[in-house]
Amino acid sequence: MMVMSSHLKLDRSKTKNSIRSIALVAMLLAILIIQEEFLIFIPNVQLTVILIIVYAQFLDDKELYPLVIAYVIIDSMIMGGLSFMYTPSMMLSWSLLAFVSKKVKNSPDYVKLIIAVLFGFVYGWSFLPATAILQKFSRLEQFFTYIKFDLIFEVTMSISGLVTYLVFYNPLMHLFRQLYNQTEKLEY
């Protein structure tokens, strides 16, 4: 009877944790989508980079990667449908940001700042293969022309990554630490 009682308590605890995890991921996903929609009028300016970097500090892999995948799918649908050419580029680059952010979780803050800045270029360059196919680039000159015209968007996203990191990283980390400390106290 005692064994069965402790087993039920463990199952109940697992259920509470999975419900908590699903609710948390849903709320964090909503934040990603909503902030991007609010800032859509400014090209390549958003809080998505800093949010994924911060999320990676707290979420485990079973929470982080489904969140990123759901974000890319929902964002693609909102922006005009799932493109078989561009959605894989988005999936790859946002997943790469989550993966790298997870790997540097215990690194000094300046490492995360560098990632936030460099991501603007990684994201922009991830679309080069699809763009080259769709635009039917036949000469290297077309490739360099595309990069020249796209560079302003990559720089804008990098500056956005820099500014949002400097402004929001520490406050978000402080907020998440408080939230996680409070929820750990509530768990049985």
Side-chain angles (χ1 to χ4, degrees):
M1 184 74 156
M2 179 84 103
V3 172
M4 193 168 145
S5 164
S6 64
H7 182 67
L8 288 174
K9 188 174 181 179
L10 279 175
D11 285 345
R12 203 165 128 220
S13 177
K14 283 181 186 177
T15 302
K16 282 178 75 172
N17 283 338
S18 63
I19 291 170
R20 177 191 167 276
S21 176
I22 291 168
L24 175 67
V25 168
M27 288 186 290
L28 296 177
L29 176 60
I31 291 169
L32 276 175
I33 300 297
I34 291 167
Q35 63 81 30
E36 191 163 303
E37 289 305 305
F38 278 138
L39 297 171
I40 200 161
F41 64 93
I42 311 169
N44 289 6
V45 174
Q46 34 67 12
L47 303 172
T48 310
V49 173
I50 191 62
L51 288 171
I52 289 177
I53 290 172
V54 170
Y55 292 176
Q57 309 304 299
F58 294 92
L59 300 177
D60 64 27
D61 291 350
K62 290 185 281 186
E63 296 167 324
L64 181 63
Y65 296 112
L67 181 143
V68 170
I69 291 166
Y71 161 72
V72 170
I73 291 169
I74 292 169
D75 184 55
S76 294
M77 290 186 325
I78 290 171
M79 298 307 285
L82 292 169
S83 164
F84 292 113
M85 294 303 286
Y86 291 119
T87 302
S89 300
M90 291 175 65
M91 193 71 72
L92 176 68
S93 55
W94 289 116
S95 296
L96 180 63
L97 176 64
F99 176 79
V100 170
S101 297
K102 196 85 169 140
K103 289 296 178 193
V104 301
K105 177 179 175 175
N106 298 318
S107 298
D109 287 351
Y110 73 87
V111 172
K112 296 166 198 142
L113 172 64
I114 291 169
I115 290 167
V117 171
L118 291 179
F119 182 74
F121 294 98
V122 171
Y123 187 73
W125 294 337
S126 73
F127 291 97
L128 281 172
T131 302
I133 292 168
L134 289 173
Q135 298 295 321
K136 298 180 174 123
F137 290 176
S138 59
R139 298 186 322 258
L140 197 54
E141 176 184 306
Q142 292 169 307
F143 175 78
F144 288 116
T145 301
Y146 172 80
I147 288 183
K148 182 175 79 174
F149 285 110
D150 195 53
L151 190 60
I152 188 65
F153 295 103
E154 294 161 9
V155 169
T156 302
M157 192 163 178
S158 291
I159 291 170
S160 174
L162 172 69
V163 171
T164 58
Y165 184 92
L166 294 174
V167 172
F168 294 109
Y169 179 76
N170 285 327
L172 284 170
M173 288 296 290
H174 179 73
L175 175 66
F176 270 71
R177 280 188 197 107
Q178 282 184 316
L179 291 172
Y180 268 80
N181 287 337
Q182 286 177 358
T183 57
E184 285 175 3
K185 290 177 189 173
L186 294 175
E187 292 179 18
Y188 301 117

